[in-house]
Amino acid sequence: WDNTNYLRAELQKLGFDTGNSETPIAPVMLFDEEVAKQFSAKLFEEDVFATPIVFPMVAKGKARIRVIPSAAHSKQDLDVGLAAFEKIGKELGVLR
């Protein structure tokens, strides 16, 4: 839970909408299906695995990236992922 809480708080500080999850799964709401797919592919290029969740798994307009930290992740691991989210978020215009 420490990793989950840290990751979610840091994603929110960057400006991402992390939805309303009560599980270790942190959704990063991107809303647009194509953006979610592109974001996931670019994360993979940065050695970060986070899957896009798009229609029909969720309603149209509710696309997201699913992030699942575990107790095995170090804070450094999470920071690498956060840096990738920030970089790609800016590249794709999701973040300013």
Side-chain angles (χ1 to χ4, degrees), residues 2 4 10 17 23 26-27 31 34 44 49 51 55 75 91:
D2 288 340
T4 297
E10 294 301 311
D17 177 348
T23 72
F31 306 102
E34 288 307 312
F44 193 73
F49 182 71
T51 55
F55 180 82
K75 186 172 180 289
E91 282 178 16

Side-chain angles (χ1 to χ4, degrees), residues 4-60:
T4 297
N5 293 333
Y6 173 75
L7 186 64
R8 189 171 287 140
E10 294 301 311
L11 285 166
Q12 290 170 356
K13 282 182 195 175
L14 290 172
F16 288 104
D17 177 348
T18 59
N20 295 318
S21 175
E22 294 182 16
T23 72
I25 299 169
V28 177
M29 303 303 298
L30 297 171
F31 306 102
D32 181 277
E33 281 78 14
E34 288 307 312
V35 170
K37 291 175 190 176
Q38 289 174 3
F39 208 111
S40 177
K42 288 184 173 286
L43 284 171
F44 193 73
E45 291 171 5
E46 299 286 329
D47 295 325
V48 175
F49 182 71
T51 55
I53 307 301
V54 298
F55 180 82
M57 293 179 278
V58 294
K60 285 193 184 260

